[in-house]
Amino acid sequence: DRSSGIQMTSTPRASGLIRAFAVIGKENQPLYVQTYTLDSKEDRQISLHYHIHSSLDIVEEKVSAGKKAYPNARDLYLGQLFVIEQYALYGYSTNTKVKFILLIQGSAANNTVKSWLRELHDLYIHTISNPFVELIGGNGLMTSSFRASVNTRVAAFNRQK
Amino acid sequence: MADNWLHPPVPLVALVGMSEIHTAIIGNMPKIKRLRLISHQLYDELPKPKQKTEIKDWDAHVPSGILKSNWVEKHMTQLPAVVCLLHEWDENKDWHSQTVSVASAVNNFRARNSLRNFEVIILIVRHRNAVEDERELEEKHRQMCKDAGIPSRNFMLLTTTDLKASLKRLEECLHAAATRKYREMYKRVKKLKDRVPRGIKRVQVRYHFKMGFYAELYSDQYLALSHYSSAYNYLGQIRIDRGSEDVIELKVVAQVIVFKIIYLLLHMNKVVDALTQFRHHINFYRHHRGLPSLLFHHHAWMSRQYRTFGEFWEEAPSAQRQSSKTQNSGYFYQAAAEHAIIRKNSALTALEATGMGKLRPSTSMPKTEYLGQLLTLAERTYGAHASAGSGTGHLHHHVVVQRVLALEAKQDHSEGVLVLLTRAYENFKRQRCSRMILHVASHMAKEYLSSGNPNMANKFFDRIARTYRKEKWNVVLRDILTKALQCARALNRSSNAASYTLELLSAQMSSSPSERKRLGKDLLEAGAINQPPPPEANMLVRPLLNSKGSGIAVAGLDLEALPETAVFIVPAESDIFICKGGFPNRPDQDEKEACVTVTDSKAIVKLQITSKFPVEVAFAKIVVVFEGGVLPLSILPQSLQAGANPEFKQEILRFQDLWFKEGETESVELEIPMPPPEDCKLKEGRAKNVEISHILLAFFPPESDEKSEVQTPIVLKCPCASAPPGCKSTAVIPPVKSNATIHFVNYQPPGIVGERIPLNLRIDAGKDTLKDAKLKLQIAGAPQVVSSASPVAPTTPLSPRNIIQRLDNVGPMLGITATHSEGSSSEIKLPEVKAGDSHNVTIWLSARDAITQAKGLEIVTCVQYTNQDDRVVLCDSRANIWFVRALTAAVRIFPIATPKIPKNLAPGGSPRV
């Protein structure tokens, strides 16, 4: 078996930038969706919402397959869900079936994404521990403090690149 | 270049001479996929090579292009590696003369094609086996080859009597010859390539591509892959301005090379490598957009990349095995479709900017010498001179744009987009990716809408809105509803349009204020609701068309008082109008109690309506519908004529002429009549609850109040959200204890069929004074008669004994009639009976058929009166109904068990027989 000898031409941007982040509830309803596009066109932003919603198919598949394959698996990070166009989507599912979806333009190292999502999970726990935050019926996670914390972390992630 | 380059090349062999048997040979050739045979006449011209001057000074050399446009096509269809000269053996001629004729045919062919060093094979066609022995025959064949100047391995004999075996040998010989020839061609190009400096990237790309192609032709896939990869890498190193038209050439060549690489990788089962290569390719050339005016051309190219890769993925078994939800060709088709949509929009913008009139219809793309170039060499040379001489280099650029635009104007974009979306849809469906299907379906719906098929688009939007609504993805839902609204307007379906608008106006959609205002105005100006939505339509705000006499009725809405209209059922979470209603707390009652207790015949109800509708509206009518037997309360302006519905009508009070601005809250307190307590004993002790079920709001745009007679109002059925402050949502009517009693003084069943049996009642007033008293005759234990007036079945099933119905209703069915001094009605008016007095009533019962005791039928007598405290009070009593036929009337004389008048009559009159 001879080597194919392929040398991939490097792309202009090998690292990724966060373009959207979403927290999805147990019933697959969005609790928090934030897009970070330079393009102010509404169509572009809505298309990211569509991608995040589509990724729930893969999350469901991975969560159910994970339970069957590894009943004792405790890793909440689901890895890369799918790639469409220049976007890659990553997932994280908590034990209470709350999902975190990260949409990155380009690609990023799995470990970086995993630790970032874990941080967001901690932030989520911290936020919902506040008795005045009502996830259902109330303002949900759309509080200014949660948004500010997420934005800070997104900016830090994008700056690393 | 046609799509030929997408398929793997196969060696080309030309059959020359004896054209009448070419079809038979081609048709019967085994393993035909290894070779491609073409038919040529003996004197047909084969492609001749062009004279090329040797380049000595590479530093000064500027290549005109990378790959010739027709090079691949030429090697796949026109220029054979092997020429097979056919010669029919004449058995009547001697060997020598035939050898001479074969040699002359070969030499003639060689002379005509001296510039092409074809591998020539002689094929002798014989119609019977040779008579010579084998050794002699071989010697003769060798001699023939020697005379013709070809090696003996290039001599083949085809015997028509043994065609199959002969063709097998021929195929192997041809394939071996073609492989030899292509190896030779590979080596020749390699020599040329080795002379080219590495800095001349375009020429390096060309030679590596050619070497890869030849290697592929002689079936060395690894070598081919290596050369294609080198060609691709050299191509990536070519430095050009990403915003110039030269980008197009680069991208077209890159497309050809990368799909050669991907095809080979997929067929070597290196699926991950193929995918990685494709992603690198897309990410690298994504930013090579070319001329801004030709942006659509870039997206057309991107779309083509995704589509081709999707097709490769679908066709390659190795890729199909790895298909899953996370990776399947649906993604590639979807991305291709998204780029095709951008291409369409960009093309329309570019065509509008240029003006279609300025495009010459005859403008067409000339056949250029080099792949991916939009100008011929002559045009390029002229453009270069013009640019250098008179400064008219922009002519160049203008011609390119004109040509590409003219070509683009002929494209049917929508069809292409829909084909790609359908493929993506099918792939996702196969993988059961339900949400991805929705995304694709939304694209399809938008495409149908933009291509002028709103009917199809509406069907798609209706279907996909369901899941987004269920999962509360309101941003996406808003996008879908906005488009669905456009469809409904295009189809002139005003009821659908109104439904979508109302849903878009709801609080959770979080539309912008200007958008809300526009939607509100459009809704009010839309006019009459003209037709019901299709049955399959899936809407949150569901319209219910109420045409007069259609049999559809909404409780409490007096349709006679309004023009023909539709009622929109608005869910609680919409918050377009926040309706609150309840019963104010009584001063003598503890506020912590959950309900307000009403002991009078009238009660106060408080309404509070807050408008979140973005435009000022005027209500034509407000109807409050209650649960618990209270007639609907209508609040209507004097100008509107009341209808014939049984309702409690109230003219406008303090509702500021029923005009509402956005954010305004109005509240009003009204008096309503309350029903009597429960009217039968079986519910004795239970309180009767009255609640507001919903509120119907009929409104016009404010400026149209004068023409309200002719304009159609919009009617919303809003749920009652909660009680206003200081109110309770439920009013309780407690049961009132009766002091009056009913006694059966003389009643001796069984009666005889056809005769009347007396039922003497004595009504003792006890401590009460009986005013406005009525005696109601009812039957218990009969099967329930469902009347059109009360179509709603009871929520909890009752035992037959507890089903009490008016004698009027069930008597004809059971054959029971009751007559009394006032006739045969079920209600008998009683005179006022003072406390301590009594009143006697005689009722004559008769039956058409025998009624056994086992049937369990009972007559229930109920007296409803107003007592001295002006409270409505009920008391009742019941007894068995028993009728026998005359022949069995002996039971009247000697009854088996004499029926006894019950002695345990309760003071309220509730005997158990």
Side-chain angles (χ1 to χ4, degrees), chain A residues 1 7 9 28 53 57 85, chain B residues 222 233 339 435 471 473:
Chain A
D1 184 38
Q7 291 173 339
T9 309
N28 293 329
H53 182 257
D57 278 339
E85 276 264 49
Chain B
Y222 287 97
N233 287 334
H339 278 288
R435 292 181 185 87
E471 297 187 345
W473 281 75

Side-chain angles (χ1 to χ4, degrees), chain B residues 531-548:
Chain B
Q531 53 178 278
E536 71 276 9
N538 169 47
M539 297 165 184
L540 182 71
V541 184
R542 175 105 200 150
L544 176 64
L545 195 77
N546 279 281
S547 57
K548 286 170 196 170

Side-chain angles (χ1 to χ4, degrees), chain A residues 85-86, chain B residues 251 255 278 281-283 285-287 296-308 332 335-336 339-340:
Chain A
E85 276 264 49
Q86 72 265 47
Chain B
K251 286 195 296 189
Q255 168 184 324
F278 178 69
H281 170 65
I282 283 291
N283 288 333
Y285 287 102
R286 183 187 300 285
H287 306 287
F296 61 86
H297 196 272
H298 171 69
H299 288 290
W301 182 85
M302 289 288 286
S303 172
R304 194 181 168 86
Q305 307 310 294
Y306 279 112
R307 194 194 73 191
T308 311
F332 308 115
H339 278 288

Side-chain angles (χ1 to χ4, degrees), chain B residues 756 759-761 775 777 818-831 839-845:
Chain B
R756 300 190 307 171
L759 171 63
N760 293 323
L761 300 173
L775 174 67
L777 298 177
T819 52
H820 43 79
S821 57
E822 289 187 18
S824 58
S825 68
S826 286
E827 278 190 13
I828 306 164
K829 282 188 180 175
L830 300 177
H839 179 75
N840 290 327
V841 178
T842 303
I843 296 157
W844 295 90
L845 288 179

Side-chain angles (χ1 to χ4, degrees), chain B residues 404-520:
Chain B
V404 180
L405 274 173
L407 206 65
E408 194 68 12
K410 293 174 193 164
Q411 288 287 326
D412 184 353
H413 294 101
S414 285
E415 195 190 337
V417 171
L418 286 170
V419 165
L420 290 169
L421 288 170
T422 310
R423 285 187 188 180
Y425 188 98
E426 282 165 2
N427 274 286
F428 287 138
K429 196 174 173 187
R430 216 172 293 141
Q431 298 293 341
R432 296 177 186 174
C433 304
S434 56
R435 292 181 185 87
M436 287 179 187
I437 286 176
L438 294 180
H439 189 185
V440 173
S442 76
H443 278 309
M444 288 174 93
K446 285 173 192 169
E447 196 51 46
Y448 276 123
L449 178 63
S450 67
S451 62
N453 190 350
N455 192 27
M456 197 64 158
N458 204 30
K459 282 180 187 167
F460 270 90
F461 282 129
D462 261 349
R463 240 189 75 199
I464 58 181
R466 192 181 308 158
T467 307
Y468 291 117
R469 190 179 290 132
K470 187 181 155 200
E471 297 187 345
K472 296 178 183 170
W473 281 75
N474 292 328
V475 174
V476 177
L477 184 60
R478 192 177 66 207
D479 178 49
I480 288 167
L481 290 175
T482 309
K483 296 286 186 303
L485 180 60
Q486 287 177 25
C487 292
R489 282 179 187 156
L491 293 166
N492 197 23
R493 287 183 188 158
S494 54
S495 62
N496 288 33
S499 285
Y500 296 133
T501 308
L502 287 166
E503 192 171 354
L504 281 167
L505 284 173
S506 62
Q508 65 266 31
M509 286 294 146
S510 53
S511 305
S512 65
S514 59
E515 178 69 11
R516 281 173 57 79
K517 199 150 237 162
R518 195 178 55 75
L519 285 168

Side-chain angles (χ1 to χ4, degrees), chain A residues 1-13 22-24 27-33 42-58 60-62 80-87 101 105-106 136, chain B residues 220 222-223 225-226 229 232-233 236 242 261 265 270 273 276-277 279-280 282-284 286-287 302 306 325-326 331 334-335 338-339 342 432-439 442 446 467-468 471-476 478-480 483:
Chain A
D1 184 38
R2 284 145 64 183
S3 158
S4 61
I6 307 172
Q7 291 173 339
M8 305 293 180
T9 309
S10 63
T11 53
R13 174 176 279 283
V23 183
I24 316 290
E27 305 294 331
N28 293 329
Q29 78 280 21
L31 299 177
Y32 178 89
V33 183
E42 201 185 11
D43 282 0
R44 277 273 162 215
Q45 295 185 13
I46 289 173
S47 80
L48 299 185
H49 283 253
Y50 274 111
H51 287 320
I52 293 170
H53 182 257
S54 303
S55 72
L56 294 177
D57 278 339
I58 319 286
E60 280 178 359
E61 172 93 352
K62 286 207 170 191
Q80 193 180 75
L81 302 176
F82 69 92
V83 177
I84 183 132
E85 276 264 49
Q86 72 265 47
Y87 301 119
I101 309 288
Q105 186 178 8
I136 298 163
Chain B
D220 192 341
Y222 287 97
L223 187 63
L225 184 59
S226 164
S229 301
Y232 189 78
N233 287 334
R242 285 183 188 175
I261 295 171
L265 287 171
K270 294 180 176 175
D273 284 351
T276 315
Q277 177 67 55
R279 288 203 181 129
H280 275 273
I282 283 291
N283 288 333
F284 184 73
R286 183 187 300 285
H287 306 287
M302 289 288 286
Y306 279 112
K325 272 190 181 179
T326 55
Y331 291 105
Q334 187 184 339
E338 283 174 3
H339 278 288
I342 303 172
R432 296 177 186 174
C433 304
S434 56
R435 292 181 185 87
M436 287 179 187
I437 286 176
L438 294 180
H439 189 185
S442 76
K446 285 173 192 169
T467 307
Y468 291 117
E471 297 187 345
K472 296 178 183 170
W473 281 75
N474 292 328
V475 174
V476 177
R478 192 177 66 207
D479 178 49
I480 288 167
K483 296 286 186 303

Side-chain angles (χ1 to χ4, degrees), chain A residues 104-155:
Chain A
I104 290 180
Q105 186 178 8
S107 60
N110 253 337
N111 284 342
T112 319
V113 176
K114 187 176 176 177
S115 61
W116 194 88
L117 284 169
R118 202 173 282 165
E119 249 182 76
L120 260 289
H121 186 195
D122 292 342
L123 177 67
Y124 167 77
I125 292 168
H126 183 258
T127 308
I128 60 162
S129 303
N130 180 348
F132 297 104
V133 170
E134 286 178 52
L135 279 186
I136 298 163
N139 205 21
L141 290 174
M142 301 301 276
T143 59
S144 55
S145 64
F146 184 75
R147 184 176 295 162
S149 306
V150 172
N151 289 348
T152 311
R153 282 165 174 78
V154 169

